[in-house]
Amino acid sequence: MSSTWKPGVALGGLILLVTSAVAVIHVSAQSGSQGVAARQVTFTKDVAPILQRACQNCHRPGSMAPMSLLTYEDVRPWARSINQKVSNREMPPWFIERHVGIQKFKNDPSLSDDEIALIGKWVDAGAPMGNPADMPAPRQFSDQNKWVMGTPDVIIKMPKPYKLDATGPDNFVNVLVDPGFKEDVYVSAIETKPLGNGFRVIHHATTQMVEDDSDSSGVFFNEYAIGKEADIFPPNAGRLIKAGSKVLWNLHLHPDGEATDVQVEMALKVFPKGQQPKYVEFTQHMGDMSDLDLPGSTVTRTDGYFRLPKPAMITAFQPHMHAVGGAMCIEALYPDVRADSARPGAARTDTINCVSHFNFGWSTTYPYAEEVAPLLPTGTVIHVTAWSDNSPSNKFLQTDPRNWIGSGQRTIDGMAFAWMSLFYLDEADYQERIKVRQATASTQNQQ
Ligand code: HEC
């Protein structure tokens, strides 16, 4: 089924968006397996550095993943399974389509094609250890009990722990807390952490701000998953918490054999009272598709749209779908503002990103590297295309694929929209940033 939603390679007009991403692809194609061809691939020299960077955050003793991948002895029994998970791109959990759209993100743990090929070669050669002297120094992990952002101004905590049983199915828990915000507050950094052993069992913890009773699911505020540290906004950018907002946490918990008290806390750095940042960074739904009509045993495509009322910089994307979610792409449809583009035919468009194998278990947010974050003019339409997979090939489906599914709030109901983080800019600021990008793009082209 997956091949039906593979989007075409949209290289067309992507100059502003992906020039530097293309450069990155070239760099990674040159590193990696070249030069390794002549000698044997070994754990200590080739594989351990990859696991340190991309896996050990979760795969180490006491962390959330089922096994440690620190030493050769830890890794050897898993060699085949690792090969399979990385070549299917199920691990690390990062589901951005790699041949379409922007490829440069903050904190991207994903493996290059070369790294995956290297792991394959190593496994094919019998997963040899190699020379112990080649083993890189162990990776140091940040202290679970320390705030990476520095000393917070405000800490909001779950009033009491949620008791997770030792065994059983995954638990999805909502916790609503009133932190008592009496006036609007602008936040410059956010960091969410589980207390104690909670990080072993927390798949994700998302925070929504419930601003009023009319929208009980609230506005997206922050997401924690293991290894995720602080969201520190660019200088002069902040996120608004409206007076009276309540914090709604959604916890996805995975029992790991030991009963665990789960409690999270969230730390904030805030702008001084009365000071408002130049850019207000916020996250909203785009392209909500209501009234999904998803026949059984079928992949159904739906489309949603959002028109930008002002020039905007998109800072992050997160597809939101439920168990029936299959894939999502976001695309920019530009307004025809240039005199020379008043031509018949299709509008100028760029595919921003696609997630082709949506994985209901992981609510991964994809934060753009600043220099490639989509910078879009007034009137651009964000086109969100979703594919809901109500067929037997969707292994996350919790219902019989012969059943019809409609829209709804439950995880077994259909839902599809994009969480987009963005800030608006004024026209002069937008034009200035476009100039800087064009200048950077042309120097890169000359190299
Ligand atoms: C963000 C945390 C995280 C990262 C990063 C991560 N894993 Fe995992 N991994 C998990 C969790 C949790 C599971 C078990 C649940 C699941 O499969 O989603 C898992 C499962 C696995 C499994 C299957 C284990 C089994 O019981 O069959 C393998 C193999 C694996 N990971 C290898 C890797 C490799 C190799 C990397 C790095 C290239 C990696 N993982 C990166 C969290 C992570």
Side-chain angles (χ1 to χ4, degrees):
M1 271 303 168
S2 63
S3 62
T4 52
W5 58 54
K6 272 245 165 94
V9 176
L11 286 179
L14 263 179
I15 299 186
L16 288 179
L17 292 175
V18 297
T19 312
S20 18
V22 170
V24 170
I25 291 166
H26 285 312
V27 171
S28 67
Q30 280 159 8
S31 58
S33 62
Q34 277 182 11
V36 178
R39 59 169 179 84
Q40 194 185 41
V41 178
T42 69
F43 177 78
T44 52
K45 200 173 180 75
D46 306 295
V47 176
I50 301 175
L51 303 186
Q52 283 193 346
R53 177 183 73 77
C55 321
Q56 292 181 358
N57 225 341
C58 304
H59 290 272
R60 63 189 148 104
S63 191
M64 73 169 342
M67 73 287 191
S68 162
L69 297 178
L70 295 186
T71 64
Y72 180 70
E73 289 68 33
D74 289 341
V75 173
R76 181 65 190 85
W78 291 97
R80 269 174 196 289
S81 171
I82 288 171
N83 192 18
Q84 193 192 351
K85 291 276 180 189
V86 300
S87 49
N88 290 339
R89 291 205 175 274
E90 291 174 72
M91 282 288 150
W94 182 268
F95 308 101
I96 284 284
E97 176 70 43
R98 300 177 77 80
H99 305 291
V100 180
I102 298 173
Q103 296 297 321
K104 201 169 176 199
F105 298 88
K106 294 177 183 160
N107 309 326
D108 175 356
S110 65
L111 304 190
S112 67
D113 290 341
D114 287 334
E115 287 173 317
I116 293 174
L118 208 56
I119 290 175
K121 263 193 195 166
W122 173 67
V123 173
D124 289 347
M129 176 163 98
N131 182 352
D134 290 336
M135 188 70 183
R139 176 171 163 192
Q140 302 300 316
F141 295 98
S142 68
D143 185 340
Q144 278 297 319
N145 303 313
K146 264 211 204 113
W147 298 108
V148 171
M149 62 153 78
T151 312
D153 300 313
V154 179
I155 295 180
I156 304 165
K157 187 168 148 182
M158 264 167 64
K160 61 177 188 347
Y162 174 81
K163 304 235 171 251
L164 181 71
D165 291 340
T167 56
D170 284 13
N171 287 206
F172 293 86
V173 183
N174 283 333
V175 181
L176 188 66
V177 176
D178 184 355
F181 288 114
K182 300 266 184 298
E183 43 201 37
D184 290 1
V185 177
Y186 288 94
V187 172
S188 61
I190 311 170
E191 190 170 352
T192 305
K193 265 189 195 305
L195 296 174
N197 277 337
F199 79 111
R200 285 201 336 259
V201 296
I202 298 185
H203 231 260
H204 71 246
T206 49
T207 310
Q208 309 277 123
M209 284 292 165
V210 179
E211 295 178 345
D212 58 60
D213 297 339
S214 68
D215 179 15
S216 61
S217 58
V219 206
F220 177 86
F221 189 71
N222 180 247
E223 187 217 19
Y224 164 84
I226 190 121
K228 170 88 190 282
E229 295 177 334
D231 272 345
I232 299 170
F233 299 124
N236 222 350
R239 180 160 283 184
L240 171 65
I241 301 179
K242 288 195 183 149
S245 294
K246 297 189 180 73
V247 168
L248 175 64
W249 274 302
N250 174 262
L251 311 176
H252 175 183
L253 308 175
H254 186 72
D256 77 336
E258 226 174 279
T260 308
D261 281 352
V262 181
Q263 200 170 10
V264 297
E265 60 182 356
M266 179 170 70
L268 308 175
K269 268 192 185 287
V270 301
F271 281 83
K273 203 169 158 166
Q275 191 181 320
Q276 191 171 330
K278 179 170 179 198
Y279 305 110
V280 178
E281 154 97 32
F282 62 103
T283 303
Q284 66 163 73
H285 295 197
M286 286 190 191
D288 291 65
M289 294 158 221
S290 52
D291 248 352
L292 291 174
D293 176 4
L294 311 174
S297 309
T298 309
V299 176
T300 305
R301 169 182 164 159
T302 47
D303 297 81
Y305 303 88
F306 181 86
R307 185 185 295 275
L308 295 172
K310 292 180 217 165
M313 171 97 108
I314 309 280
T315 59
F317 158 56
Q318 181 192 337
H320 182 91
M321 286 182 278
H322 287 172
V324 71
M328 185 178 283
C329 288
I330 50 169
E331 178 184 34
L333 311 179
Y334 294 100
D336 239 351
V337 288
R338 295 184 331 203
D340 64 352
S341 65
R343 50 175 164 59
R348 200 163 58 88
T349 64
D350 280 329
T351 301
I352 300 175
N353 278 113
C354 290
V355 163
S356 337
H357 300 277
F358 180 75
N359 182 318
F360 180 63
W362 294 99
S363 319
T364 311
T365 299
Y366 302 99
Y368 295 112
E370 219 153 310
E371 66 276 24
V372 295
L375 186 54
L376 303 169
T378 306
T380 301
V381 172
I382 304 294
H383 173 205
V384 182
T385 311
W387 287 265
S388 297
D389 185 355
N390 191 10
S391 85
S393 63
N394 179 353
K395 61 182 179 182
F396 303 104
L397 206 60
Q398 297 162 16
T399 44
D400 188 313
R402 288 169 298 186
N403 291 342
W404 176 86
I405 293 180
S407 291
Q409 296 295 329
R410 300 169 305 170
T411 56
I412 59 169
D413 297 325
M415 187 172 279
F417 62 81
W419 279 120
M420 303 297 281
S421 298
L422 65 154
F423 58 82
Y424 290 123
L425 343 90
D426 63 33
E427 190 59 33
D429 194 350
Y430 168 75
Q431 293 297 348
E432 187 52 42
R433 285 169 185 257
I434 287 287
K435 263 195 222 136
V436 170
R437 290 221 179 160
Q438 277 165 340
T440 320
S442 69
T443 38
Q444 276 176 354
N445 288 345
Q446 284 155 17
Q447 280 165 5

